[in-house]
Amino acid sequence: AVVSTQSTGIRIPSELIPDLSSIIFGERRQQLDANTLNNRNTLPKLDTLRWRVDVAISTSVLNRVLEPSITMETKLSNGCIQQFEVPVSKFHQLRYNVAYVLKEIEDVEKRNILKIQD
């Protein structure tokens, strides 16, 4: 009844209303939801993140450099591997933000709102 009254406003033909109702409210809804979840486009997920610090002791131009560089490697769920260098300042910013988010998650988990009470 709700679908038939609202469908006239959007000009859905009356012969399609029973099928539409069975999809939205009937037993075909679970099949529609399952197909939507299985066929949706998703971005690849981060499988691994590796990093290392390299320190250049000297170069062909300078005798003494001692400047660190951070090399990071990501592997995604689609198999794509990317390697890149990160400035030390950005690495420290990343480290700080990850620690901050982990602390926030810990604080949320400690709140009584999210705990199941018996």
Side-chain angles (χ1 to χ4, degrees), residues 106-118:
E106 187 178 279
D107 290 346
V108 168
E109 287 176 344
K110 286 181 181 177
R111 291 187 186 148
N112 287 335
I113 296 171
L114 298 176
K115 291 184 180 177
I116 298 174
Q117 308 254 334
D118 291 326

Side-chain angles (χ1 to χ4, degrees), residues 2-12 14 17:
V2 173
V3 174
S4 62
T5 57
Q6 292 180 351
S7 63
T8 56
I10 54 175
R11 298 184 184 157
I12 295 177
S14 59
I17 292 174

Side-chain angles (χ1 to χ4, degrees), residues 51-57 66-71 83 85 88:
W51 60 275
R52 72 171 190 255
V53 177
D54 294 329
V55 178
I57 297 172
L66 296 176
E67 183 176 318
S69 66
I70 292 113
T71 304
Q83 193 171 5
E85 280 194 28
V88 175

Side-chain angles (χ1 to χ4, degrees), residues 43-50 73-81:
L43 295 172
K45 294 174 179 56
L46 182 65
D47 278 346
T48 58
L49 173 68
R50 297 176 50 202
E73 181 182 277
T74 60
K75 183 176 180 186
L76 303 179
S77 59
N78 63 0
C80 180
I81 298 174

